[in-house]
Amino acid sequence: MKTFTFRKGGIHPPQCKNTAEMPITPAPQAPLLTLLLSQSIGAPSKPVVKPGDKVAAGQPIAEPGGFVGAWVHSPCAGTVKKIETVRTPQGYPAEALTIERDPQSTEVFSYPPMNPADASSEDLVARVREAGIVGLGGATFPTSVKLTPPKGMTPRCVILNGAECEPYLTCDDRLMREHAPEIAEGAFCLMRAVGVRHCYIGIEDNKPEAIAAMREAASQYSGMEVCVLRAKYPQGGEKQLIAAILGREVPSGALPVSVGAVVDNVATAFAVQQAVVLGKPLTGRVLTITGEGALNPGNYYVELGTPLTSLLQTDERVDKIIGGGPMMGRAMSNLDTPTTKGLSGVLTMCLGSMPDIQPCIRCGACYSACPMGLEPMLLARQSENSDWEYAARSGVMDCIECGSCAYTCPSNRRLLDWIRYSKTQVRKLKS
Amino acid sequence: MSQELIISGSPHIHTRDSVDRRMWNVVIALLPALAVALWVFGLSALWITLLAVGACMATEWIIERYCFRRPCTLTNGSAIITGLLLAFNLPNILPWWMVIIGAVVAIGIGKMSFGGLGCNIWNPALVGRVFLLLSFPAAMTTWDPAVSSGLMQAVHTGASGVDAETGATLLATLKNSGHAIDMSRVDWLTLGIGDMNGSLGEVGSLAILIGLVWMLITRVITWHIPVAVLGSAALLSWATGANPGLELLAGGLMLGAVFMATDYVTSPMTHWGQIIYGVLIGVLTIIIRRWGAYPEGVSFAILLGNSVTPLINKYCRPRRFGMRKIRKEVAA
């Protein structure tokens, strides 16, 4: 069987998909939900309700702050308590709406269901927008914006990202195993919305059950095909996925649609299906709780805004908690923070101590690992020397921050930290 | 849960690979060649090796402690490798104080003067060896007369006018006799095992190849540099009418190609760069051996290769993702 992959670089971290056999279960419902107003890339959303208002489950409570922005909906019926400033997982202040659940109320708000086969492209995109759907792989880019390509660019296919190359995370795997028909229908909605006839579903070969389930579901639609990918990190990186499936490289600094591809996560496709066919806005997601310090590992369907303290039980030794996977996730400074649309997993780690940083021995491991063909050691050194112009010329902005370089470095140098710093400085220099 | 959570940038996991692991695997890979040296040269080989390793470690410790005032870095094994490689490049009857001078120059000037591990331009062991070779040319090319195997006897009597009792190396004999020795007298098995005269570590070619296989299995190095060095040297010696097998097995080329040209710090980063660098070393070695003043040219060739490494790094860069397409579109 042919397996697809990208050509240059990549690493093979231990997979640690310990929760792969645990079915998705609904997480306990919290009495108080805190919904951040900036859960996606772009302008923060603006509240359309006031404290004291009664809301139904699924009712829109905040509108997009701009073209690149997203609606936010209440996951439960209840009362808007207050609009206040809370701390994000990284400790920064952010505006949030607090909703107190009303267990008696069964009021549900939903949009009129649509039939994707005869709905127009504009209607489908509008529905994706009003349902507040953003990229659920972690980037949280508003999906409706992705579905409206810039003028002069014609998409030729939709690619569904089911690679889930991050170690530990299993939420997409479980979703594909348990909800394959819905995902395929969501993919069909996306194909209709973009106006293309082909859809490729990329899944790494370490998920045979998901591949089988998606194959069967995809066979119901013409032009939809499952592509088996070789398990290699960062196979689920947008550019790597396109290179693996289409054999084309997205040019430096360009959008994926410039090679004709619109890439969406399988979880996003599921949310699109729910919004289009059932009229349900995005009010929850599947996330994986995992890691050696988690007492309740598993895959959970979680309402947005559920506080992590009520979701996660950890043991004594945990000294690092990560939102997302171990390669690209972000360390959290506190747990008094709610789940968001972009949170695909909570990883608990018991590190004890950090290994020493040693001098670079110029072994070239980072060169071989970089999937973008960059020179991480050189970029890091330019960053240490504050040579931003040289860094820009060396392609620092092409870095996808996958972390393969820092993972593979035998001297344990924090290459990606330096490169990230360099990117912010180059961005400043350009503006 | 602990009170304080660790905050750091991604990635949050790390390979089990480390500098220490790589360096100690090189030390393990050097052991077969050391065993051959002990077998051929006896206890004098052990004495030279211990002296070189000890002097290298002492030099590094003193400089780290009193000049740099940094924590001790001896545990990463790199000073031990330098000491072993320096010893492998010396004759077994070298006076003890010359060994110490070589070690101090190797670590002190070759490595620490640039800032320590990862900063040096040239392979430290070779800096030490070449310093000794230029300072004490006689001592560095005087070989133990006690070591003269059947192989050497055969070749020496074959080459007219060469006295077997001086205990010259095979390559020196070749050079002095104008490459006119009787190849039919060369016993390839003895040559491969290393029962002949020469520097400590260069004689056991098969043992060095075992070390190479170990380093390839443990992924300490890739095949590019050794294959490029040995391949280009064999090709050029064949093209100039010499016996490629003899060039590879009889001198320090095997040791240089496997253990010294592959030094991370002083070799290029990309695979293509490594191949260019390897070919350069192989070609220079044969040129020096054939037309230069020395019977042996590997050390000079590797040091010259080290010197052009920054240039190779500048021009042999990895192909950036998504760059070829842009050029095509601009052209179209």
Side-chain angles (χ1 to χ4, degrees):
Chain A
M1 186 174 59
K2 194 187 172 199
T3 55
F4 297 80
T5 191
F6 56 97
R7 270 165 62 198
K8 198 199 161 296
I11 53 170
H12 296 94
Q15 295 181 346
C16 303
K17 305 257 188 196
N18 312 323
T19 51
E21 298 308 321
M22 299 179 173
I24 300 171
T25 46
Q29 297 182 326
L32 211 62
L33 297 180
T34 312
L35 290 133
L36 293 182
L37 291 176
S38 44
Q39 296 194 35
S40 59
I41 287 183
S45 309
K46 296 189 199 107
V48 292
V49 289
K50 301 183 301 294
D53 285 3
K54 291 257 180 224
V55 290
Q59 184 180 328
I61 52 174
E63 62 178 2
F67 175 63
V68 181
W71 283 90
V72 179
H73 303 77
S74 170
C76 65
T79 320
V80 178
K81 286 283 285 180
K82 53 192 168 183
I83 300 170
E84 58 169 355
T85 305
V86 298
R87 283 201 294 166
T88 65
Q90 279 71 41
Y92 295 108
E95 291 289 303
L97 266 168
T98 315
I99 291 172
E100 190 175 31
R101 183 187 302 274
D102 178 1
Q104 267 76 52
S105 172
T106 50
E107 219 183 327
V108 174
F109 173 93
S110 67
Y111 297 101
M114 295 162 83
N115 182 354
D118 44 49
S120 74
S121 164
E122 289 75 22
D123 289 350
L124 286 167
V125 174
R127 170 58 56 85
V128 167
R129 184 168 174 83
E130 67 192 354
I133 294 172
V134 301
L136 296 180
T140 67
F141 191 78
T143 304
S144 59
V145 179
K146 243 188 207 177
L147 299 180
T148 359
K151 282 205 168 56
M153 297 198 182
T154 0
R156 276 181 227 113
C157 65
V158 167
I159 295 179
L160 275 206
N161 188 349
E164 199 165 56
C165 56
E166 274 274 1
Y168 289 97
L169 299 188
T170 55
C171 49
D172 290 352
D173 184 9
R174 286 313 310 186
L175 199 65
M176 286 188 284
R177 291 196 209 181
E178 297 176 29
H179 297 283
E182 289 94 327
I183 294 173
E185 194 172 17
F188 179 66
C189 298
L190 290 169
M191 286 161 73
R192 294 277 308 156
V194 194
V196 295
R197 288 168 188 281
H198 294 283
C199 172
Y200 304 98
I201 305 169
I203 308 172
E204 277 191 350
D205 57 7
N206 58 0
K207 296 181 252 304
E209 290 95 340
I211 292 171
M214 286 310 298
R215 275 238 166 90
E216 202 194 322
S219 65
Q220 306 295 315
Y221 301 90
S222 73
M224 196 179 294
E225 190 187 333
V226 171
C227 296
V228 180
L229 308 167
R230 202 174 305 157
K232 179 163 85 169
Y233 182 85
Q235 188 71 75
E238 196 170 50
K239 292 181 173 178
Q240 276 64 37
L241 189 68
I242 295 170
I245 291 179
L246 300 184
R248 299 194 60 181
E249 294 186 358
V250 179
S252 167
L255 291 172
V257 72
S258 64
V259 295
V262 172
V263 183
D264 277 304
N265 190 272
V266 287
T268 315
F270 178 74
V272 167
Q273 187 264 351
Q274 299 282 305
V276 172
V277 180
L278 308 176
K280 278 160 79 175
L282 178 66
T283 57
R285 65 159 300 149
V286 180
L287 66 78
T288 304
I289 293 178
T290 182
E292 50 186 329
L295 298 177
N296 57 337
N299 301 291
Y300 296 91
Y301 179 82
V302 181
E303 290 178 340
L304 298 176
T306 307
L308 286 184
T309 35
S310 75
L311 197 61
L312 182 68
Q313 293 150 27
T314 58
D315 80 14
E316 288 285 290
R317 299 166 300 141
V318 170
D319 50 10
K320 194 172 192 179
I321 294 179
I322 291 147
M327 291 301 296
M328 290 190 73
R330 299 178 71 181
M332 297 184 176
S333 66
N334 59 307
L335 283 183
D336 344 312
T337 166
T339 59
T340 59
K341 292 177 182 176
L343 191 72
S344 50
V346 180
L347 171 62
T348 55
M349 301 181 89
C350 313
L351 294 175
S353 64
M354 300 278 277
D356 288 345
I357 294 175
Q358 298 208 333
C360 171
I361 53 169
R362 292 188 250 169
C363 63
C366 53
Y367 280 47
S368 305
C370 181
M372 297 304 288
L374 301 173
E375 298 157 281
M377 166 263 186
L378 186 73
L379 294 174
R381 202 152 274 190
Q382 288 157 355
S383 182
E384 287 173 46
N385 295 337
S386 307
D387 196 345
W388 314 126
E389 278 177 25
Y390 192 7
R393 251 186 298 141
S394 307
V396 72
M397 297 314 280
D398 280 358
C399 173
I400 58 169
E401 303 186 21
C402 67
S404 300
C405 51
Y407 172 84
T408 197
C409 178
S411 293
N412 193 30
R413 298 189 75 74
R414 307 298 302 165
L415 294 163
L416 184 53
D417 290 355
W418 284 110
I419 293 172
R420 249 192 232 112
Y421 179 53
S422 185
K423 285 176 80 172
T424 62
Q425 294 298 322
V426 170
R427 230 175 261 133
K428 263 186 210 162
L429 207 70
K430 277 182 181 165
S431 61
Chain B
M1 193 175 77
S2 347
Q3 289 298 304
E4 299 270 301
L5 288 176
I6 299 173
I7 299 290
S8 69
S10 63
H12 306 285
I13 50 174
H14 190 251
T15 164
R16 270 171 300 178
D17 198 2
S18 69
V19 175
D20 295 22
R21 185 197 75 92
R22 292 189 176 201
M23 295 293 178
W24 285 108
N25 271 318
V26 177
V27 173
I28 292 171
L30 283 165
L31 293 181
L34 182 63
V36 170
L38 291 179
W39 172 61
V40 175
F41 301 103
L43 280 180
S44 61
L46 189 64
W47 163 241
I48 297 275
T49 306
L50 288 179
L51 203 58
V53 171
C56 280
M57 292 175 74
T59 313
E60 177 153 324
W61 185 80
I62 290 169
I63 294 178
E64 289 278 11
R65 178 88 174 73
Y66 295 103
C67 301
F68 290 168
R69 296 171 202 283
R70 291 198 302 214
C72 168
T73 51
L74 286 181
T75 49
N76 66 26
S78 69
I80 297 172
I81 293 175
T82 302
L84 279 172
L85 286 177
L86 177 66
F88 279 16
N89 274 294
L90 303 175
N92 67 319
I93 49 169
L94 199 71
W96 62 271
W97 53 273
M98 286 190 195
V99 179
I100 291 184
I101 290 179
V104 170
V105 170
I107 292 287
I109 296 176
K111 182 173 162 193
M112 302 312 274
S113 68
F114 292 97
L117 181 64
C119 303
N120 49 306
I121 300 172
W122 294 286
N123 185 315
L126 284 179
V127 171
R129 173 191 146 85
V130 167
F131 181 85
L132 290 178
L133 186 64
L134 298 180
S135 310
F136 313 105
M140 284 292 285
T141 49
T142 305
W143 313 98
D144 191 351
V147 179
S148 68
S149 62
L151 169 83
M152 301 305 291
Q153 299 281 5
V155 179
H156 286 173
T157 43
S160 54
V162 179
D163 182 7
E165 291 309 306
T166 57
T169 63
L170 201 51
L171 280 181
T173 314
L174 262 177
K175 186 122 193 158
N176 295 337
S177 63
H179 290 260
I181 62 168
D182 186 356
M183 290 310 295
S184 63
R185 287 168 181 271
V186 175
D187 175 4
W188 292 101
L189 184 64
T190 321
L191 199 59
I193 293 172
D195 189 10
M196 59 179 170
N197 227 327
S199 299
L200 291 187
E202 72 181 18
V203 291
S205 299
L206 289 179
I208 292 170
L209 285 179
I210 294 172
L212 172 66
V213 170
W214 176 258
M215 289 199 291
L216 290 176
I217 291 173
T218 54
R219 300 191 177 196
V220 172
I221 59 168
T222 56
W223 55 269
H224 301 82
I225 294 177
V227 168
V229 174
L230 297 175
S232 62
L235 211 62
L236 185 63
S237 56
W238 172 77
T240 56
N243 186 317
L246 207 60
E247 296 282 358
L248 294 194
L249 296 177
L253 188 58
M254 198 67 87
L255 180 68
V258 173
F259 286 110
M260 296 197 284
T262 53
D263 173 27
Y264 290 134
V265 181
T266 54
S267 62
M269 309 280 280
T270 58
H271 293 325
W272 270 113
Q274 290 174 349
I275 287 173
I276 293 171
Y277 162 89
V279 169
L280 187 73
I281 290 174
V283 168
L284 280 174
T285 302
I286 300 301
I287 289 177
I288 295 171
R289 281 185 182 179
R290 296 282 288 183
W291 296 290
Y294 289 91
E296 180 60 282
V298 185
S299 326
F300 297 110
I302 294 177
L303 288 179
L304 288 169
N306 292 163
S307 312
V308 296
T309 292
L311 200 66
I312 295 175
N313 276 338
K314 188 172 158 77
Y315 291 105
C316 288
R317 302 179 116 185
R319 191 187 72 78
R320 270 168 64 186
F321 186 98
M323 289 307 272
R324 191 167 45 191
K325 292 284 167 5
I326 276 192
R327 254 182 257 129
K328 241 183 214 166
E329 276 165 12
V330 167

